[in-house]
Every structure is written in C-alpha cells, then in structure tokens.
Amino acid sequence: MHTVTFDSANGIGRICIANPPVNALSHHVMHGLADGLAQFEADPSLHALLIYCAGKTFVAGADITLFDDPAFDASAFNATLARLEAQPRLVVAALHGTALGGGLELALACHYRVAQSGTRVGLPEVKLGLLPGSLGTQRLPRLIGAGPALEIMLSGKMIDTQEALSCALVDAIRDGTPLDIGMAYTSELLAHNAPPRRLSQVRMPDQVHASAIETALSQAQQQPHYPAKQAIVACVQAAVSEDFETGAAVEANAFKTLLNSPASRALRHLFFAQRVAAKLPQNATSTSGLAVETVGILGAGTMGTGIAMCFLNAGIPTVLVDATAEGLQRGIGLIESTYASNVAKGRLSAEQAQAILQRLTTSLDDTALAECDLVIEAVFENMALKQQVCQRLGHICKPSAIIASNTSTLDVDVLAQATGRPGQVIGMHFFSPAHIMKLLEVVRGEHTAPAVLKTVMDLAKKIGKTAVVSGVCYGFIGNRMAEVYMRETEFLLMEGATPAQIDNAVQALGMAMGPCRMLDMAGIDVGAKTVIEYGKAGGLPPDPSYRAVVQKMFALGRFGQKTGSGYYRYDGRTAHPDPETERIAAEVARAHGIAKRNDISEQEITERLLYPLINEGCKILEEGIAYRASDIDVVWTAGYGFPDYQGGPMFLAEQRGLAHIVQQLEHYARSRGNPYGYWDISPLLQRLAQQQHSFASHNLV
Ligand code: 3HC
Ligand code: NAI
C-alpha cells in the first residue's frame, strides 16, 4: 500500500495519507504529499483539493525519529505547505482523531478545516523541547490571535473540537468518516463560491498582542531549562511585528537550534522511553489478557482511596473494603471531599461527580470482593498482616481473579505464595497521591502468569498511568535506588554538609525537591521505620552508621513538617535552617567516628547522590529487575521528581559519559573508603564504559 495516494471524485482531488499507527510525517509521507499536490496541479478539471487520513487519526506530527538525524530539515516540507496554501483552487483538510504538531501545521496551510466530532488538535512540540517548525508559530497567531496561540503552543495541550470551533481553528464539525465529511464540506464550500484563505497573507494588528506576549515572555523566562518556551514567544513576537517571510526565518533558525539542544534530546528520549516501557516479552504480548470489569480494593487508607479514584475516574466500578468502620468512613470522606473540591474548582460538573461516585461500593465485609476481577490490597505495610490478608483473598476471590499488592518494599513472591495462586498475583506499586501521580511500578513475581502481566499493563494504560515493569527486589526499581541516594545524603550530613547545602545542590540540577525537604514532607518517622524494618529483616549492611541520622531524628520525635521540625524547622509549610540538625548530625558523626569536613563542594554533593544511584540502576539492569535503562529513567522522572529535561538518571549518565561515572565512583571509593561495598561498581557499568557501548545494547526486551 502506498503511504500517500491521490485520486479524484466529483471534481475534487483527494490526497489520502496512510502511515500507521499515527500518520506521522515520515520522508515517504512528505514526498507523497508533494507528489499528490503535483498531480492535483496537473489536472485543471478539478475544482478543489481535499486532504484526509486513513486509520485512527489525522497526522499526529512530524516523525520524531527523524529528529535524531543531524541532516533533518523541515524546509522541503514547509515549501510543500507554501505551495498548498498558494493554490488558486480551494484546499480543505478533513481532521479526525488527533491533528498535532506538523499535522495541525499541514491543516493550517489548507484554506479550510472540517473536523469529525471528537477530534483533538494541538501543537505539542514544546513537550519535546521544540517549537512548531512548519510555520505553526506564524500561521496560528494570524488565525486565532497571539494570546490564544501562545497558550496552545506553550502548554502543548490538546483542545477539543468545540473549543477549536469557537476560536475558529476549525471551520466546521461534522459526523462521518473523514472522507465523507471532507467531501461534503468541500462541496458545500464550492457551492457557496468560498474563496481560498491564506493565513500567511493575514496582517496582524500588533498593539493588541503586546500584553499577551509580555506575560508569556516573563513566564517563559522563569523556566530557563525549557528554552523552547522563550523561542516560541520570540517567534510569535516576529509573527505580530514582521512580515510572514521574516517570521518564517526566525522560526526556522530557532527550530534548528532547539533540535540540537540537550533539553530536546532528553525530552525526546523520554517520549519514546515512556512508550517502550509498555512493551512486554513475547510470552506476554502473545496472550490476550483478561477482562477487568470490576476492581476491589482492600484497605481504605491514603493509598487505597487514591487507587480507588484511579479506577472510578476511568469508569470502572470499584468496591472499597476496610476492616474498621472508622477506616472506611475516613476513606469515603476523603473520596467525597476530593470530588467535591474538583466540582468547586470547575474541573467536574456536579452530575459527573455524582456519576463517578455511583460506581463506588463500600463494605466492611471482605466477601464483597468475591466477584471482582482484580483485587488490590493496600493494608498496612506489615509482612505478617499482608500474608494473612493474601491468604484470605486467595480463599474469597473468584478463581479467575487477579490479586495485587500495593506494597512498597515487601517480597511479592512471599505474598503470592500466601494466596495459594501465585500465577494470579502481581505487585501494583502506586505512588502517593495515587490518583494524581502518573507512575505505576508493576511488579512481576517469579510465578506471575504472562496474561496477568499483560492484563495489568493494559489496565494501567486505561487508567492513564505510566507503567514500568519491575522484578522483585527490595524497593523495586525506584525505592531501591532512592535508598542509596538517602544513604549518601546522611553520610554528607554527618561529614558536615547542611540540609540546605545538599538540597540546593540537587535542586540546582533540577530535582523538584532535595532529599531533606522530601523526607521532612513524607515523614521522617515513615522513612526511619522503613530502615528499622529492613534491618529487622536482615537487609541492612553491617554498618552501625548506616542511616543513623534519620533514626536519631525519629528517636527525638523530629518527624518533619508534621511535628514542626525535622531536618528543617517549620513555620507552617515554610522550612527554615535549624542549627539543631547540624548539632544532631555532628553528635551522630562523633559516635561513629566520622570526621567533620569543611571542603564539601556542590559537585561532590551531586556526584555522591547521583552516581551511586546510577550505579544501583546498573545493578538493577544486570540483575534483570528492569527490562531496560530507559524504564529506570521513566520511573525517576514520573515518580521521583527527576527533571525531565535531564532525561532521567541513566540518560544523564550517558550524556556525562559512562567512563566518567566509573572514574568518579572509583574516586569516591578511594577518598571515602569502601569497607561495606557502597562504592563497588556494577560489572555491567564497567563493561559498557570500557566497550563504549550504550545502555540500549543491554535491553532485555
Ligand atoms: N513520530 C513517531 N512516532 C510516533 C509519533 C511521532 N510523532 N507519535 C506517536 N508515535 C508512535 C509511538 O512511539 C508509538 O509507537 P509504538 O507503537 O512503536 O510504541 C505509536 O506511534 C503509538 O503512539 P501512542 O502509544 O502514543 O498512541 P496513543 O494512541 O496513546 O496516542 C498520540 C496517540 C496522541 C498521537 C500520541 O502518540 C502523541 O501524542 N504523539 C506525539 C505527537 C507529537 O508530539 N507531535 C509533534 C511532533 S513534532 C512536530 O510535529 C514538529 C513539527 O512542528 C515540524
Ligand atoms: P494507611 O495506614 O493510610 O491505610 C491502611 C488501611 O488499611 C487502613 O485504613 C486500615 O484500617 C486498613 N486495614 C488494615 N488492616 C486491614 C485488614 N486486615 N483488612 C482491611 N483493611 C485493613 O496506609 P497507606 O499509607 O495507605 O499504605 C498502604 C499500603 O500502601 C502499604 O503497603 C504501603 O507501604 C503502601 N504504599 C504507601 C505509600 C504512601 O506514600 N503512603 C506509597 C506507596 C505504597
């Protein structure tokens, strides 16, 4: 099948693009469009040209894989668009699915746009660290005004057909196939002698836009790590103040610069990483998965209620059970107040909220879970309790049901055995708040059936989660790596670094929050208890100074924000440096013979926090816990506040050079000493660094 075909009917030439899955603008599509246009130009008997797409969507943008080719050049495609727009006969685009990026720019070069109901349009290039590079920055402001155009381009959000119609981004909404609505609308336009409309020829009254541009610029300047934002504003400024050709040149230059920017490379890496993370081994992809029509949740606490809302929001009937009336009531209250606040903020109508709540059933009797297709336990993090709960679920759930655990640290294989049906058991590690955080670690146990893994991954997509598969180990991918990050944080505190010094160093790198602020917020008691429990289970190294600071803080009742003091002293939510923390850290350090230093640099802090974390990521890879390094990047950017413009820890490691990471790990092993193996380098990391291979060479799936 040809990617782009040309034919004609009823005096209308038709170009159809068919490049599954999303009709991205590949070289073939771009050449095909130019060929189709030439065929139309060669047939003077035709009155108009219609452009439409086959499959599930209109063009969803340029083919992002092309951007890694340094020779990529949008100018030939842009010239095709100019030719399209310059046609003396009508050119119409029929949109369906999503018209995004270069796809919307193609539509903007046409004289009219008709959209199937439900179509969404947008210019999401900013999410890839880019700007619309096929004259979107020039044509869109001329169509809808600089303010609304800036909003669309700077947010990268899609807007629905109604909104697009109200701002004249589309001219009509129709029901029917893209070909049918396109033909009917083009015929209507011809019947009314509608003239060609060329956005490049629209002149803009500049003074109207000054304030929108000023506001956008000052907001963009506050986000220097996303250079695309300022570039978009500059292009719109050119659109309102210069002629089309000058604006086009500004856009072309800026696009080229952004294409090679580190931020865009990182964001493009994550675009594909998020999608690749969903890919499973052959034995799972070849199964058909199981139907999940109702979900049950055991434990109506912080996590259970958040998880329930994930399913309710996706339209899935959910049964929520707790052992105590008080626990259940608190859970129901939390859910109700969340929806009430969404209604108050205008995010939902009262009717929508009511419809969602009608899908919720609650009970104090766990047999209410008997007919659920999937049951997730979210009771307290305690092995004995969870084993007991899993055994009970094994008895009461119907034989086909999947049983999942939301444990953050416990051994999923042990829980699986307790159910008596280990093949049906899987970990679903949601992050708090579960209805907001995108990340879901899906933990495949030793016996998890491939169909169960596939079912849960499909379900994750349905509820809008970014899911990553992890094998069973302490803390799975994310928390296991976070443990070494916290370990070094505490050693640095004992060596004399202040919480603010540590937090500022990693925040300068782009982490949303430094480790001390983060633990103060999550609760030092929660962190300390995890360490203590892990110690009881025999997991800790035989090092008495291991995470000794957090344990001391816990013993002193400094639980963080909730008690008004932790690593910082709190005034409401505002953190202030607290000299008491330095005194405590120094006391702990003395008790463990750790000497105070005055020479801890920002570079040392970031390297000591990040490089062991990367090293742990490599161990996770070589043990087969993660399928691929890019999955680890997804975990850290979606769940741990790692800056997306750095691409994730493994991507950052490759940017800095794996040999450099090895060298610095060796350096710290020498300077800090290595009696407990903290600085032992992953053999995989060493091998890849020596062979100058990338992590991608070690993808397991
Ligand atoms: N280029 C290359 N591949 C793309 C692509 C693109 N623009 N958009 C999607 N794909 C691929 C995905 O990688 C995935 O591949 P896989 O099946 O091998 O994993 C497949 O298409 C399906 O994608 P999704 O899993 O994301 O499918 P959904 O149905 O969930 O979503 C979508 C569809 C909303 C279109 C979503 O894919 C999307 O947002 N795509 C990106 C849109 C975009 O960013 N466009 C702008 C590109 S930059 C540009 O146009 C520059 C121009 O201004 C010059
Ligand atoms: P929580 O303390 O808020 O809630 C636990 C709920 O379980 C309570 O309502 C309690 O009444 C109920 N419960 C206890 N035993 C029960 C039983 N036998 N049957 C039915 N209900 C019972 O706990 P939280 O924070 O929601 O944690 C739950 C699980 O989620 C734990 O495994 C935890 O490790 C995990 N988790 C927690 C995260 C967090 O940030 N809080 C993040 C990710 C996972």
Side-chain angles (χ1 to χ4, degrees), residues 298-304 321-324 327-328 330 377-381 385-386 389 406-409 429-432:
L298 188 65
T302 311
M303 294 307 290
V321 173
D322 201 280
T324 69
L328 189 62
R330 197 182 45 229
E377 73 74 20
V379 304
F380 304 129
E381 186 80 344
L385 172 68
K386 286 213 195 255
V389 155
N406 182 48
T407 178
S408 18
T409 53
H429 183 214
F430 288 84
F431 287 70
S432 183

Side-chain angles (χ1 to χ4, degrees), residues 21-22 56 60-64 102 105 124-125 132-133 271 275 279 461:
V22 298
K56 64 173 187 172
D63 182 339
I64 299 165
E105 292 172 298
E125 286 88 343
F271 175 85
R275 284 155 180 83
K279 304 230 183 296
K461 178 153 188 176

Side-chain angles (χ1 to χ4, degrees), residues 20-25 56-67 72 74 77-78 98 100-105 120 122-128 130-136 158 251 255 271-272 275-276 278-279 461:
V22 298
N23 289 317
L25 296 166
K56 64 173 187 172
T57 180
F58 192 73
V59 173
D63 182 339
I64 299 165
T65 57
L66 298 182
F67 297 158
F72 176 81
F77 178 62
N78 294 354
T98 47
L100 301 175
L104 184 58
E105 292 172 298
R120 289 174 302 160
L123 292 171
E125 286 88 343
V126 72
K127 294 184 180 174
L128 300 169
L130 296 171
L131 52 71
S134 288
L135 284 319
M158 296 190 226
E251 184 194 275
F255 186 77
F271 175 85
F272 288 112
R275 284 155 180 83
V276 167
K279 304 230 183 296
K461 178 153 188 176

Side-chain angles (χ1 to χ4, degrees), residues 193-208:
N193 285 323
R197 293 183 313 184
R198 301 184 183 95
L199 289 174
S200 65
Q201 291 174 6
V202 173
R203 277 214 62 78
M204 304 204 65
D206 52 8
Q207 68 281 12
V208 181

Side-chain angles (χ1 to χ4, degrees), residues 191-262:
H192 289 93
N193 285 323
R197 293 183 313 184
R198 301 184 183 95
L199 289 174
S200 65
Q201 291 174 6
V202 173
R203 277 214 62 78
M204 304 204 65
D206 52 8
Q207 68 281 12
V208 181
H209 309 291
S211 76
I213 292 177
E214 221 168 90
T215 312
L217 184 61
S218 84
Q219 284 170 358
Q221 281 166 342
Q222 284 161 28
Q223 294 172 285
H225 301 299
Y226 299 95
K229 298 206 170 190
Q230 283 188 51
I232 287 171
V233 182
C235 289
V236 173
Q237 173 68 61
V240 302
S241 53
E242 310 284 350
D243 60 30
F244 191 79
E245 284 66 35
T246 311
V250 171
E251 184 194 275
N253 274 333
F255 186 77
K256 231 180 235 166
T257 308
L258 290 172
L259 209 50
N260 293 310
S261 66

